[in-house]
Amino acid sequence: MKKNIIKILTATLFFVSSCSIDLVPTDRYTEEVIWDSKGSIELYLNGFYEEFRKFEFGRLSFIGNDNATDALTDLMKYTSNSAGRGTVNILASDASRYTATSPGISYWAAAYTRIRRINEFLFGLNNYAKITDNERLAYEAEARFVRGYIYFWLGRIHGSFAIIDTIEAHSSLGNDRSSEDDCWNFIASDFAFASEYLPKSWKTVSGGNFEGKVTRGAALSMLARTWLYAASIAEFDRKLYNEDSKTGISVEKAKTYYDNAIAAAKGVEQLANEGYYDLESNFAKIFTTSDNKESIFRINYVTKFITHQYDLGFVPPGDALGQALVYGVPTAEMVDEFEMADGSKFNWSNPVHAANPYQNREPRFYATILYNGATWKGRILNTTEGGGDDGFVLAGTTTDPRNTITGYYARKFLDPNNTSFVQNRSTQSWHEIRYAEVLLILSEAQILSGRLSEGKNTLNMLRRKRDLPEVVANTKEQLFKAIMHERKVELAFEGHRYWDLRRWRLAHLELNKVRFTGHKITSVGNLKSYETVSCDEKDREFIHRMYYIPIPVAEIQRNTTLKQIYGW
């Protein structure tokens, strides 16, 4: 098997029924050929990795033009008001767009199509494959990781879904939703199995370098993420937002699920102690350098063959005159969240801060945000009104401005050395799971389960690596607030914020009846003024029932046993 074959290599495989003439076709894969060769089995598995691309760079490929879920929150604002480039803006400001006919966020059909392929693979693997038991377990672990990941997304979106884990179940029309508790436990069982039988590193596996495959650390990380979500539902939902009989988790289970999250995260921490993972000192390089210790599971790309267009979508327009798309830009709320270098809170009411708002900020600010006066690709960015190619455009004055409407651009993920992305696209990796997130999961679970000193120490481990002072919080409420802040800053634009606010049951408070803002910067001689302006033309809307997105009505019609989530 060639090196790096897993870098999003998709194999198209066909199952064919037997016939009276016992010939092996040469123009397609048959079951006999697939299961007779480890090479074909691995190609079959590799095709499943394409599923991860639907979520790369914190975006959902099935919403408009790869719209980012962070733009549903206070982190980012998409610049366009038209469907496609601006679908996320429509969803953020109009709760009526979420219906059973058109759920707004709809992954159900695509998810179950892939789940069926995985279940077919598992059936063939366990009935036809001519391999050793250890090889069979490793292949099953890999497939179940992907299946768990798909079901994890269904859990994020719908809470309760139909559990289908055999090919026989796919042919039945009797698959109703399971309870939300059972759903999260099922997801956890897939990741737990994967963590038991996947290797710590594929570099030590004989037969080649399988860079890019999921590992034990990736499975444990997803297991920790899964249990944290389940614990959050138990802790914060309490049947306050939906009367469906199958949604919600008993509050009594929160402590157990936090403990499960801690155990899984501790497993990753042990791998870090063995040298597999670590926090990186240079925050910016995490997102442009593939081979770094912080990356636990990432999607790699190959120049000219497997690429993406993140740079084209998010660079300041001066990088590619007339061609940059400028999908989304950071809000003022996101920019103001970053601390000062000494760990104090940034405050526009502080005259020193207000006079030079982009000086002496924490290191992550400079790695995440492009601001007025920042040096970028050999030029000084001018994001003032009338500031030329990279200048500010007031929201609502044009349908598709392709310029900042907040005074900022997103720096994170952009490759500062890529000047040919218009022609050759981009190849920097997408890090689905990194060690910093695992520590944040561990810290949150420790704090909310009452292990305050442990949770504080875990959080401070991350802050020290980011060149920030330790938190001074001591109470459970203070430390939880510190965790929420840290996740907002550390994981900005990585696709977590919307789902965090949902699992904490804060979305209806933070994303409803509010408009987010930008900074209109005006130069007067050597002085600059910063006016807070709305980047939203309408109030945001998030109502209670949106915590459980409806199942597409077409799926209810197809499977009459499947019951819609209450309220839709």
Side-chain angles (χ1 to χ4, degrees):
M1 189 170 182
K2 293 182 179 179
K3 182 179 180 180
N4 298 345
I5 196 171
I6 211 66
K7 291 181 177 178
I8 317 302
L9 173 61
T10 302
T12 304
L13 304 168
F14 300 90
F15 286 97
V16 296
S17 59
S18 60
C19 56
S20 58
I21 302 176
D22 198 14
L23 297 176
V24 178
T26 59
D27 63 341
R28 71 198 72 180
Y29 285 101
T30 66
E31 287 188 15
E32 186 174 316
V33 172
I34 290 170
W35 304 114
D36 196 45
S37 163
K38 284 202 299 182
S40 58
I41 293 173
E42 287 161 2
L43 282 173
Y44 196 165
L45 264 173
N46 293 350
F48 297 154
Y49 281 74
E50 182 68 17
E51 201 68 21
F52 299 115
R53 294 207 65 186
K54 293 178 179 176
F55 309 96
E56 62 189 4
F57 296 98
R59 294 172 290 156
L60 301 183
S61 63
F62 41 86
I63 298 182
N65 288 4
D66 292 351
N67 285 198
T69 58
D70 276 341
L72 293 170
T73 76
D74 52 351
L75 267 62
M76 177 176 278
K77 172 69 178 182
Y78 264 43
T79 61
S80 175
N81 288 320
S82 60
R85 287 178 180 167
T87 298
V88 71
N89 288 334
I90 297 170
L91 294 175
S93 60
D94 189 353
S96 70
R97 296 283 179 165
Y98 294 85
T99 68
T101 303
S102 178
I105 300 175
S106 181
Y107 177 51
W108 189 281
Y112 280 103
T113 296
R114 182 68 76 179
I115 288 167
R116 182 185 183 97
R117 299 286 86 80
I118 293 172
N119 287 339
E120 288 172 345
F121 172 85
L122 292 172
F123 178 83
L125 179 72
N126 288 300
N127 286 277
Y128 304 122
K130 300 175 182 178
I131 53 178
T132 67
D133 288 343
N134 286 340
E135 290 169 337
R136 192 186 317 276
L137 288 168
Y139 288 142
E140 180 177 350
E142 200 173 347
R144 287 182 64 175
F145 179 98
V146 183
R147 189 177 69 180
Y149 181 85
I150 296 168
Y151 273 124
F152 178 86
W153 270 101
L154 289 175
R156 261 182 169 179
I157 297 168
H158 304 287
S160 170
F161 52 78
I163 296 174
I164 300 178
D165 59 352
T166 66
I167 58 172
E168 292 82 9
H170 284 282
S171 61
S172 170
L173 293 180
N175 300 308
D176 194 8
R177 291 183 290 119
S178 294
S179 71
E180 185 167 12
D181 195 3
D182 286 346
C183 287
W184 288 111
N185 274 272
F186 178 78
I187 296 166
S189 69
D190 267 353
F191 289 131
F193 183 92
S195 70
E196 185 173 356
Y197 294 108
L198 285 171
K200 296 178 182 178
S201 170
W202 286 93
K203 293 180 180 179
T204 60
V205 177
S206 62
N209 183 349
F210 302 100
E211 181 185 349
K213 280 180 175 283
V214 293
T215 60
R216 182 175 301 170
L220 285 169
S221 299
M222 283 301 304
L223 182 60
R225 190 192 282 180
T226 297
W227 283 125
L228 183 68
Y229 268 72
S232 296
I233 302 304
E235 173 103 7
F236 299 109
D237 183 74
R238 305 192 181 214
K239 298 298 292 184
L240 296 173
Y241 309 100
N242 193 286
E243 296 180 27
D244 190 282
S245 62
K246 294 187 176 181
T247 62
I249 299 175
S250 173
V251 67
E252 289 77 17
K253 294 189 176 183
K255 177 65 164 59
T256 297
Y257 292 169
Y258 283 131
D259 288 344
N260 291 349
I262 291 169
K266 283 286 188 180
V268 183
E269 190 175 50
Q270 178 57 41
L271 291 171
N273 293 337
E274 295 174 20
Y276 290 97
Y277 311 116
D278 200 357
L279 294 172
E280 293 287 342
S281 298
N282 188 322
F283 187 72
K285 284 189 176 180
I286 295 170
F287 309 101
T288 56
T289 305
S290 295
D291 190 15
N292 66 75
K293 284 282 191 177
E294 197 152 318
S295 181
I296 294 177
F297 177 56
R298 65 180 182 270
I299 301 300
N300 291 337
Y301 303 85
V302 184
T303 303
K304 296 183 180 180
F305 297 103
I306 307 297
T307 58
H308 59 81
Q309 60 173 21
Y310 189 88
D311 289 280
L312 182 65
F314 290 88
V315 293
D319 282 23
L321 298 181
Q323 299 186 71
L325 301 175
V326 194
Y327 284 147
V329 291
T331 64
E333 286 76 13
M334 178 71 256
V335 171
D336 293 349
E337 190 75 18
F338 289 92
E339 298 170 29
M340 303 300 292
D342 63 3
S344 62
K345 183 176 176 59
F346 174 82
N347 190 344
W348 282 101
S349 298
N350 183 319
V352 176
H353 295 180
N356 295 288
Y358 312 129
Q359 290 185 5
N360 300 317
R361 303 293 285 272
E362 63 164 292
R364 289 178 298 192
F365 172 81
Y366 301 103
T368 307
I369 306 295
L370 288 173
Y371 54 91
N372 186 63
T375 300
W376 177 250
K377 292 187 177 179
R379 69 184 188 278
I380 304 298
L381 290 183
N382 184 347
T383 67
T384 65
E385 186 177 34
D389 297 327
D390 302 314
F392 172 89
V393 174
L394 187 65
T397 57
T398 180
T399 300
D400 191 16
R402 300 197 183 192
N403 276 77
T404 180
I405 58 174
T406 63
Y408 305 99
Y409 295 95
R411 163 71 174 82
K412 199 179 209 178
F413 303 129
L414 294 182
D415 184 350
N417 299 313
N418 188 349
T419 57
S420 63
F421 56 83
V422 175
Q423 299 80 19
N424 300 320
R425 295 168 62 94
S426 304
T427 57
Q428 62 267 39
S429 296
W430 159 241
H431 302 270
E432 169 63 34
I433 306 167
R434 55 190 183 91
Y435 189 47
E437 184 200 345
V438 175
L439 292 180
L440 288 169
I441 290 170
L442 176 58
S443 179
E444 181 179 342
Q446 289 170 328
I447 290 167
L448 293 181
S449 63
R451 306 182 192 184
L452 301 187
S453 60
E454 293 178 33
K456 183 176 180 178
N457 289 339
T458 303
L459 180 59
N460 284 331
M461 185 191 311
L462 174 61
R463 286 181 60 83
R464 286 193 296 270
K465 201 68 175 185
R466 302 304 185 227
D467 292 325
L468 284 167
E470 298 183 352
V471 294
V472 295
N474 290 304
T475 69
K476 183 176 182 179
E477 291 74 20
Q478 291 171 341
L479 286 167
F480 182 46
K481 186 176 180 180
I483 275 288
M484 289 192 286
H485 160 79
E486 209 68 35
R487 286 187 67 91
K488 184 176 180 179
V489 172
E490 175 73 26
L491 304 176
F493 313 144
E494 296 181 49
H496 292 279
R497 178 66 172 171
Y498 180 64
W499 309 104
D500 282 347
L501 290 174
R502 284 167 59 95
R503 68 182 175 87
W504 292 327
R505 295 302 189 254
L506 293 174
H508 69 287
L509 300 175
E510 300 291 334
L511 307 179
N512 193 46
K513 296 181 180 180
V514 64
R515 299 188 188 193
F516 297 122
T517 64
H519 291 134
K520 177 183 173 183
I521 306 169
T522 305
S523 294
V524 181
N526 293 326
L527 299 176
K528 291 182 174 61
S529 64
Y530 303 86
E531 179 187 355
T532 299
V533 295
S534 176
C535 61
D536 287 329
E537 296 174 72
K538 296 175 61 179
D539 284 357
R540 301 287 182 109
E541 286 189 358
F542 190 103
I543 57 179
H544 288 180
R545 67 176 182 171
M546 289 169 60
Y547 283 119
Y548 295 100
I549 302 297
I551 299 167
V553 68
E555 303 301 324
I556 305 293
Q557 294 169 343
R558 187 175 295 115
N559 174 9
T560 56
T561 304
L562 185 64
K563 299 298 188 297
Q564 183 60 270
I565 297 170
Y566 181 85
W568 296 101

